Each structure stands twice: as structure tokens, then as C-alpha cells.
Amino acid sequence: FPPARIRNFCIIAHVDHGKTTLSDRLLQATKTIPERQMQDQLLDSMDLERERGITIKAHPVTMRYEAEDGESYQLNLIDTPGHVDFSYEVSRSLSACEGALLVIDAAQGVQAQTVANVHLATRQNLHLIPVINKIDLPTANPAAVKRQLEEVLAIPGEEAVLASAKEGIGIAEILEAVVRRIPPPQPFPDGIIRALVFDSVFDPYRGVVLYVRVRSGELARGQKILLMATQSVYEIKEVGVFNPKMAPQERLEAGATGYVIANMKSPLEVKIGDTLTSAHHPASEPLARFQEARPMVFSGIYPLNPADFEKLKTALSKLQINDPAIVFTQESSAALGSGLRCGFLGLLHMEIVQERLRREHEVEILATYPSVVYQVHLTNGKLLEVDNPLRMPDPSMIESIAEPTVRAFLLIPTERIGEILQLVLEKRGICESTESAGENRVMLRCRIPLSEILVDFNDRLKSLTRGYGSMDYEPAPYQTEDLIKLDILVNGEPVEAFSCIVARSRAESRGRAILSKLRELIPRHLFKIALQAAVGSKILAREDIGSVGKNVTAKCYGGDITRKRKLLEKQKEGKKRMKTFGRVDIPQEAFLQILKTE
Ligand code: GDP
């Protein structure tokens, strides 16, 4: 296909607005896969992401389309992860495209994630085709959505295509719009090989597979290639496209999207966003300024059973092979033994990795309180990056501490604005602007510390707006704040996993909240347990858990032996998932639940 008959595009949408359903329809309409092989949600491959309704791994597909002008076109649909945690990957996928379908649910309208995605896409100069989906729903209101497009996103409403991915309405019109409205790729005229590596996966049989967008020149088997960021040279073993399975080709021409397999051993050799060029006639400049995905959130992961440490390490290394955004180093703690300090792109990324460790690799783990990366300016003039509360230097050595912030977009019903502003304030944020976002809705632009967004912000927003509010955010600069380390002591012994860094002004209320949560979660013991929240040697709050008598079966008055046995077994079962500190058993659940305290 000559570049003039290639279109590279992606679909951006808020979760559940119909991206997957529409993708499947497009594949069906172009007969990329026969009807009977069509299985739901073909593009999403991991169970976990299906459950959570998000796409983590981008996966391109090549379609062949006979347009109304009688010509045949190659359409490359590049999947993008739908969540802000993966915004680096989103912008990489976007930069491999010239245009995007912007899918909006006709009943739900524009959401915060739609806004954030449109920002990313506009920054990459993508041509946007708005698609108002689900017009079959009785509650669909396409006219209102058109107004929102204009008011919130400055996109002319008449450009929108009305569709129902479910009923197959508007699909032909969308394919025509892709061909007519999205510009074809424009290769550099010099013919030098330049390809953007926008993703990679590890295939146990074939090794590392690079997803590439060829900007100029041609890729073929046998070529010696250079990856510019790492300056390493490889030989191409195979090139091909996805239709949707990997299909080898003679060559990948300028404008094409496909894959490259070379003699690479580990996925960690590849930097997503890197430029691939010829080793003999390299390009002088990379396509984009390469920038490493930086972990934003850190947490210690420990095996519940210390004997499982090697198993945990192996499991995490395996996960890292398909998700190089995970970083980890070994660490050890007096109370928890050997573990791994892990960095994640965001809280959702962290939860997904922890869940996959438990589910797919069957390692019972305990995760410490998540921390952002603090910039600590020391009195000796040095700058220290601290991602673990335990590594926070003594206050006497600290000049000041800066924390990362985000710019958050909150789209909420107008009548809830009071409660939401209160929430933003409580989370130490400021509201920078408010804009009307169609009937009865406003969009707030806020600046909030990242650490405050991490824990329960989204849940609170959802409950305050009865599910109608939505939010998204992008990184914003660091900000100096009066921060201190808060310790939680159980019977006088600090439990490292509960330590966190908080604003001085919030330390006491935060401490109280954690203690009252722990009081619910830690079972009564044969002795009294004291829970304390402390900053340095100063105790800010205290709660006690009273003791309980020895005989747990006492409450099953006599009789029923099976009930007694059940109770004893239940208690044993509970014991297995406890971690003992001093003489106190803390259930694993407490380590997770403590995150959710307000
Ligand atoms: P994604 O999260 O954006 O990929 O959304 P999905 O494609 O998974 O769709 C989310 C839900 O909306 C699913 O239950 C779909 O069946 C449903 N859905 C998608 N398109 C339509 C549509 O045009 N009409 C209706 N009524 N439901 C739809």
C-alpha cells in the first residue's frame, strides 16, 4: 500500500463508552475476521483488564477496506490503554497515529477521561472524529452530547457520527470518515529508516516483539538495525502485520504499522518510545525525544510467608517481562523480612500488579502503604529523592520537602459543587478554575498533591456525586509542603508497613482515622492491645483493643459439634492470613484496608 492509501488511527474513550465493541464491529465490517470466529472483546487479552474494563496493553490491528471511492485502503487500528496511569503509553500509541475516533456514550456524555484524552490527542496534532455511540439507548441524548462537544472540547457538534456499536448502526459511516477525514501518513522523503517503537510484548516462543510505526524507509528481514536510546544493534529476523494475528510480510514500508522480531533476549532491552533506525545509515535525530516512563508510586511487597521470597521475586520478574513499567529492588525490613520495593505508574497499576501476583502466581503478599517520590532538600545543600517513609532522614537534617502534584479535571453535577470543593480542600488541593460543561454540569480544574489522589479520592468523588462525577489527572510540578512521617505503633512497636508521610496539619486526624480502622480490623487477643499514632517520640492518638477470654467456642452453647468445629476451622483459616508483630496478629486485610481510610 502506498502511504496515500494508509490510515493510522486509534480509538479514545472513557471506560465503558464502547471502545471494545466498536473495535470489534470495525474488524467485522472489514471482514478482518470471519463472523463465526468473532469473539467478544477480541482486542483485550488479559482477564484482569477485561474485568476492570480497561486496556493495559496496546495491540494494533491491520484492516483492509474498500472505500466508496472504489479504492482499497489499509487501516491500522492502534489500541490505546484507557487509563491515566498509563498516560505515557497512551501518548506513545497516539504518536503512532494521524487521527483518532473519539467515542462518547450518548447517554453519559463527555466524561473527565474524555477530556484528558482529547488533551493528549490534540497535543499530538491528531485529527479527531467524534462518535456518539449507544444511540439505541432510550436515554440517549445525542443533541446534548453535541452541545458538550462544543462547550467542553471546542469540537464542532456537526462533525459527530451517530452510532450504535451494539446494533451495528453508523459503522460504514465511521469507516468512510476514517478514510476521508484522517490524513495519510507523510514519510520523510530521504528514505532513511526511522520507525517508532510504540510498544513491545514478550512471546515465550518468539522472544521480544516490537510494535512499530514506520515513518520512513523500509524494514525487512536480515537488516541490521540500531535502537537509538540504548545504542544497541540487532538483526531483523521477521517483520509483519497484525490481521489480527501476527502475519509475516516481506517488508514493512513507510507509513505502515506492524511488528519486528530481532535477536533481542530480554524485553528490558527495549525502551518504549525509542526510534529504530538502520545500523549502517542511521538517522541523525530520533523521531521523538525519548523519555523513560517514570514510576510515580512506590510500595514494599513482602511475602506473607518469608519462605516464599524467591517465589515472589520470580513471579514479579515474570510480570515485568510483559510490563517493563514495573521496577523493583530488593529491600529488607526488621519486621517483615526480605521483600521488594516496587515502583508503579499509579495506584491502579499497583493494584493490578498486586492482584496478578496473588491470582496468577499464587503468592500471598503484604504490601506496605504506597508512597510517592518526595524531593528532600537537606541542610547540607544536597537533594535526596525518597520513595519510602522509612528512608526519610532525621528532621534535623531536612531543609524542606517537596511533593509531586497533579492537575486534576473533575466533571461533576453542578448541584454537588459545594461538597466537591470541600473534598478538594480536605485533600489539600486548590481549585484553579470552573467551567460550565453543558446542562447541569461543571468542570473543575484543580491542583492536588498526588499522594492525596492516590488513596480514596476517586471513591469519594463517586459517592458524593452518586456515580455521576468523573475525574482524570495529569502530572504537575512539585510543590513544597510541611510534611512529616507518621508512625503507627502496636503495643509500643512501630509497624513499618503502616508508616506514611503526611502534612503536619493533617497528622493527628490521619492518625486517628488509621487507629479506628485498625481497631475494627485487628481481632481481640488474650491480652489488651494498645494502638498509637506518633510523630517522632510524640504520641498523637491512642486506641485500645480489649482482651478476650480463652474459649472461642464458648458462644456455641454446648450441643452442635459441627458448628464448633467450623468455628475452630474458621479461626485457623483466619490465622493463616495473619502477620505477627511482637505478639499481635494483624490480618492481611488490615494492610489493604488501611489504604482506604479517609
Ligand atoms: P469500553 O470499556 O469502552 O471498551 O466499552 P465496551 O465496548 O466494553 O462496552 C461497554 C458496555 O457498553 C458493554 O456492556 C457493551 O455491550 C455496551 N455497549 C457498547 N456499545 C453499545 C451500543 O451501541 N449500545 C448499547 N446499548 N450498548 C453498548
Side-chain angles (χ1 to χ4, degrees):
F1 279 89
R5 284 197 278 120
I6 297 178
R7 298 293 181 273
N8 295 301
F9 71 107
C10 56
I11 304 180
I12 55 185
H14 188 79
V15 165
D16 275 350
H17 283 198
K19 179 169 111 170
T20 316
T21 315
L22 180 62
S23 309
D24 291 350
R25 280 288 175 192
L26 297 178
L27 299 192
Q28 221 173 23
T30 54
K31 305 198 173 53
T32 308
I33 21 171
E35 198 101 8
R36 62 195 154 76
Q37 274 179 28
M38 190 81 204
Q39 44 161 290
D40 277 351
Q41 313 208 328
L42 193 85
L43 285 176
D44 282 342
S45 50
M46 283 190 273
D47 275 355
L48 207 63
E49 62 179 294
R50 194 171 307 185
E51 262 170 53
R52 288 173 176 258
I54 45 164
T55 313
I56 304 161
K57 265 287 159 196
H59 182 319
V61 181
T62 299
M63 298 175 273
R64 193 191 168 99
Y65 172 62
E66 310 290 337
E68 282 170 12
D69 62 9
E71 297 278 3
S72 164
Y73 288 85
Q74 184 191 80
L75 308 185
N76 295 309
L77 168 58
I78 294 163
D79 201 11
T80 53
H83 192 273
V84 57
D85 272 11
F86 308 100
S87 74
Y88 179 76
E89 286 175 22
V90 177
S91 53
R92 282 298 150 225
S93 319
L94 295 183
S95 66
C97 307
E98 280 77 33
L101 299 177
L102 171 66
V103 177
I104 302 172
D105 184 309
Q108 308 260 305
V110 170
Q111 297 293 316
Q113 214 173 66
T114 326
V115 182
N117 279 327
V118 168
H119 278 220
L120 281 176
T122 331
R123 244 178 265 157
Q124 309 264 8
N125 288 322
L126 296 199
H127 183 94
L128 292 179
I129 302 173
V131 173
I132 301 180
N133 187 35
K134 308 200 189 181
I135 55 163
D136 60 291
L137 288 177
T139 47
N141 189 350
V145 178
K146 282 187 185 174
R147 279 199 299 279
Q148 291 169 3
L149 274 173
E150 295 183 348
E151 286 173 23
V152 187
L153 302 169
I155 297 173
E158 77 247 21
E159 288 184 9
V161 180
L162 301 188
S164 163
K166 191 173 159 199
E167 311 272 325
I169 301 168
I171 306 302
E173 206 182 335
I174 292 171
L175 286 167
E176 274 304 306
V178 167
V179 166
R180 293 210 193 139
R181 298 200 217 161
I182 295 176
Q186 302 223 307
F188 295 82
D190 59 15
I192 291 174
I193 295 177
R194 293 180 188 87
L196 175 77
V197 180
F198 63 90
D199 207 347
S200 78
V201 292
F202 185 73
D203 180 316
Y205 302 105
R206 333 247 352 230
V208 183
V209 182
L210 305 180
Y211 293 3
V212 298
R213 161 71 203 276
V214 187
R215 290 280 186 189
S216 58
E218 229 177 63
L219 296 176
R221 183 194 160 96
Q223 277 170 352
K224 288 266 192 305
I225 50 164
L226 169 74
L227 282 176
M228 295 184 82
T230 55
Q231 285 292 308
S232 26
V233 173
Y234 302 93
E235 185 182 315
I236 297 185
K237 299 289 178 206
E238 183 180 314
V239 298
V241 297
F242 297 88
N243 67 0
K245 291 212 170 64
M246 282 163 65
Q249 307 282 311
E250 286 286 310
R251 56 178 57 83
L252 282 182
E253 293 164 355
T257 298
Y259 68 87
V260 170
I261 298 176
N263 55 332
M264 268 169 215
K265 290 185 190 65
S266 156
L268 301 176
E269 293 171 42
V270 187
K271 304 283 176 204
I272 306 305
D274 200 356
T275 301
L276 183 161
T277 186
S278 156
H280 298 305
H281 302 285
S284 53
E285 297 282 328
L287 289 168
R289 207 162 52 86
F290 171 73
Q291 192 193 348
E292 195 122 20
R294 273 182 65 112
M296 306 276 280
V297 183
F298 285 78
S299 159
I301 297 190
Y302 291 84
L304 206 55
N305 174 358
D308 281 345
F309 176 68
E310 284 304 321
K311 189 174 163 194
L312 169 68
K313 209 165 132 185
T314 312
L316 206 55
S317 308
K318 279 193 185 148
L319 286 182
Q320 194 188 34
I321 281 177
N322 265 316
D323 185 359
I326 308 171
V327 297
F328 62 88
T329 51
Q330 201 158 328
E331 75 172 5
S332 62
S333 131
L336 302 169
S338 290
L340 301 166
R341 185 91 197 148
C342 306
F344 307 96
L345 298 174
L347 203 67
L348 178 70
H349 188 213
M350 176 178 104
E351 281 177 26
I352 288 173
V353 171
Q354 294 181 356
E355 220 165 294
R356 293 185 67 189
L357 284 173
R358 294 194 180 98
R359 264 204 234 183
E360 296 167 26
H361 297 271
E362 292 174 358
V363 206
E364 290 279 4
I365 57 166
L366 180 158
T368 65
Y369 202 91
S371 169
V372 298
V373 184
Y374 295 94
Q375 292 182 345
V376 183
H377 297 267
L378 301 175
T379 45
N380 67 9
K382 292 219 171 81
L383 176 71
L384 197 66
E385 295 216 319
V386 176
D387 63 43
N388 182 346
L390 301 178
R391 305 266 178 279
M392 194 50 93
D394 189 81
S396 65
M397 294 165 65
I398 299 175
E399 181 71 42
S400 67
I401 304 178
E403 63 179 338
T405 66
V406 296
R407 172 147 296 114
F409 306 95
L410 313 179
L411 203 55
I412 55 162
T414 311
E415 77 258 24
R416 298 284 158 211
I417 192 165
E419 286 107 311
I420 300 300
L421 285 176
Q422 186 62 38
L423 173 66
V424 170
L425 204 66
E426 185 192 314
K427 297 294 186 183
R428 298 189 287 123
I430 50 161
C431 180
E432 295 174 325
S433 72
T434 59
E435 267 167 69
S436 153
E439 282 155 61
N440 308 325
R441 289 201 309 175
V442 278
M443 180 154 98
L444 312 183
R445 260 170 71 110
C446 306
R447 183 86 182 272
I448 308 179
L450 173 64
S451 62
E452 299 282 352
I453 291 276
L454 287 184
V455 178
D456 63 347
F457 192 89
N458 201 28
D459 293 346
R460 297 273 305 278
L461 178 80
K462 289 275 174 221
S463 77
L464 287 173
T465 58
R466 299 209 198 85
Y468 288 110
S470 68
M471 79 124 164
D472 208 340
Y473 60 87
E474 58 188 34
Y478 272 71
Q479 206 165 265
T480 302
E481 175 69 89
D482 187 10
L483 300 165
I484 44 161
K485 181 170 146 234
L486 177 70
D487 291 315
I488 302 296
L489 285 63
V490 175
N491 270 356
E493 199 190 321
V495 178
E496 294 171 9
F498 293 148
S499 291
C500 52
I501 290 168
V502 294
R504 190 184 300 275
S505 57
R506 308 294 157 99
E508 192 176 327
S509 58
R510 177 99 208 130
R512 285 192 195 288
I514 294 179
L515 295 191
S516 72
K517 193 80 168 194
L518 281 180
R519 205 172 68 131
E520 286 167 29
L521 292 164
I522 299 178
R524 287 167 179 262
H525 283 56
L526 295 176
F527 45 87
K528 195 175 87 171
I529 302 168
L531 304 173
Q532 293 166 306
V535 170
S537 57
K538 189 165 167 234
I539 304 294
L540 300 179
R542 174 179 177 135
E543 293 254 6
D544 288 334
I545 302 176
S547 61
V548 70
K550 215 179 189 90
N551 190 356
V552 292
T553 60
K555 59 181 160 190
C556 312
Y557 328 97
D560 193 345
I561 185 74
T562 52
R563 237 176 102 200
K564 263 189 206 168
R565 190 176 296 137
K566 253 192 204 151
L567 200 63
L568 283 169
E569 255 159 30
K570 213 164 144 201
Q571 200 193 29
K572 221 167 80 193
E573 186 58 25
K575 269 256 160 36
K576 271 201 299 205
R577 289 199 220 93
M578 302 255 196
K579 186 90 196 169
T580 312
F581 290 86
R583 291 155 60 222
V584 182
D585 296 327
I586 303 181
Q588 188 193 2
E589 203 202 341
F591 294 91
L592 298 173
Q593 283 301 319
I594 207 80
L595 287 179
K596 315 268 180 196
T597 51
E598 289 164 18

